[in-house]
């Protein structure tokens, strides 16, 4: 899941971005409204964390413009003041939820996960492909009865694949949803992660699920049960 964190306080932005990355999100940071709108136009985000008080175009205005451009985008508004007026303004402006600053980083992650689970294009909490299960809330993976230990990044890549079972995903698609803007398109980092995932997901004696489609990308499918 890829996020845009819009926050003008650089220290708060750095702390929150690091925490979100450790929680498995790919995170880009924008320090003002114009930057946020520009990033939003070029990158596919799953959700936006938007500070209400921003220099230049304020958070409410940014929120309305994001909502106009993409009605389905999940927006979590962060407000410094817990006033009813601010909350109403935020929700009227198109935010899906709000969080009061200063917030606990654990609460930020919990709110985001709740937001990303909400129906509309309903994102399920536990993904299943064949006998492979990924619990995005508990951050666990298992194939049948076998538990699979994954790093944060391996988890993010597998989550992208599991949201599109049976489809060939290009490296570009995977990088857009599991990496932030520091991704280097010339590196072979995705192939490296796929290699690691394949060793973990497809153990000896199990039907292979993760395929490389030459010149196209990767496909995860679980049509057959193991054995
Ligand atoms: Ca601010």
């Amino acid at each position: 899941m890829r996020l845009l964190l819009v926050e003008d306080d650089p220290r708060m932005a750095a702390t929150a971005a690091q925490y979100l990355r450790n929680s498995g999100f790919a995170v880009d940071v924008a320090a003002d409204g114009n930057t946020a709108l520009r990033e939003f136009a070029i990158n596919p985000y799953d959700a936006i964390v938007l500070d209400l008080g921003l220099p230049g175009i304020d958070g409410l205005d940014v929120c309305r413009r994001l909502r106009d451009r993409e009605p389905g985008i999940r927006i979590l508004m962060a407000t410094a003041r817990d006033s009813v007026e601010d909350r109403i303004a935020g929700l009227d402006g198109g935010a899906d939820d709000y969080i009061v600053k200063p917030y606990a980083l654990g609460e930020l992650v919990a709110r985001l996960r709740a937001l990303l689970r909400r129906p509309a294009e309903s994102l399920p909490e536990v993904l299943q492909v064949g006998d492979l299960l990924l619990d995005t809330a508990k951050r666990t993976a298992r194939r049948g009865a076998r538990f699979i230990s994954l790093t944060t990044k391996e988890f993010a890549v597998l989550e992208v694949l599991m949201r599109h079972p049976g489809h060939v995903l290009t490296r570009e698609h995977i990088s857009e949803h599991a990496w932030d803007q520091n991704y280097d398109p010339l590196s072979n980092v995705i192939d490296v992660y796929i290699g690691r995932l394949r060793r973990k997901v497809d153990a000896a004696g199990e039907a292979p699920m993760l395929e490389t489609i030459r010149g196209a990308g990767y496909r995860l499918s679980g049509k057959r049960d193991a054995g």
Side-chain angles (χ1 to χ4, degrees):
M1 299 272 105
R2 184 166 174 183
L3 306 177
L4 179 62
L5 174 66
V6 190
E7 170 60 64
D8 58 308
D9 178 329
R11 274 183 56 194
M12 187 179 275
T15 310
Q18 189 54 51
Y19 190 89
L20 290 166
R21 288 183 185 121
N22 291 342
S23 304
F25 294 99
V27 185
D28 293 331
V29 177
D32 59 68
N34 275 322
T35 310
L37 292 169
R38 206 167 52 234
E39 293 296 328
F40 186 76
I42 52 180
N43 299 310
Y45 293 110
D46 300 294
I48 317 275
V49 181
L50 180 61
D51 188 20
L52 182 62
L54 289 172
I57 321 173
D58 83 353
L60 267 185
D61 226 16
V62 174
C63 185
R64 287 194 199 96
R65 294 193 205 182
L66 294 176
R67 183 59 74 208
D68 281 351
R69 286 192 202 173
E70 199 182 319
I73 186 70
R74 312 299 162 95
I75 303 173
L76 178 63
M77 184 80 92
T79 161
R81 294 156 296 173
D82 187 17
S83 79
V84 178
E85 290 77 17
D86 276 359
R87 272 183 267 160
I88 293 172
L91 295 171
D92 278 353
D96 295 290
D97 196 6
Y98 65 90
I99 188 166
V100 177
K101 293 166 83 176
Y103 46 73
L105 292 166
E107 187 189 357
L108 177 64
V109 168
R111 292 289 187 98
L112 279 167
R113 291 208 192 292
L115 208 58
L116 289 164
R117 275 201 302 275
R118 272 187 195 170
E121 302 138 43
S122 130
L123 296 169
E125 200 168 338
V126 179
L127 302 171
Q128 178 163 14
V129 178
D131 57 353
L132 182 63
L133 282 110
L134 195 72
D135 188 322
T136 59
K138 296 193 189 117
R139 316 295 297 170
T140 56
R142 67 185 167 85
R143 182 156 180 192
R146 179 173 67 85
F147 278 87
I148 302 173
S149 164
L150 298 172
T151 65
T152 304
K153 199 52 131 185
E154 288 166 356
F155 194 99
V157 173
L158 186 57
E159 182 175 353
V160 174
L161 289 162
M162 288 188 73
R163 290 198 184 280
H164 306 278
H167 292 263
V168 179
L169 300 186
T170 60
R171 285 178 185 75
E172 188 185 15
H173 179 102
I174 295 169
S175 70
E176 281 179 343
H177 288 273
W179 267 265
D180 58 28
Q181 60 204 359
N182 297 315
Y183 171 73
D184 172 6
L186 299 178
S187 79
N188 67 342
V189 63
I190 289 182
D191 310 73
V192 171
Y193 275 101
I194 293 284
R196 288 187 198 162
L197 274 176
R198 183 176 284 126
R199 286 192 289 278
K200 291 185 175 187
V201 168
D202 296 332
E206 292 174 344
M209 297 182 71
L210 188 47
E211 298 167 83
T212 301
I213 312 297
R214 260 182 97 89
Y218 300 102
R219 177 166 62 199
L220 182 80
S221 42
K223 37 201 181 296
R224 309 145 299 209
D225 281 317

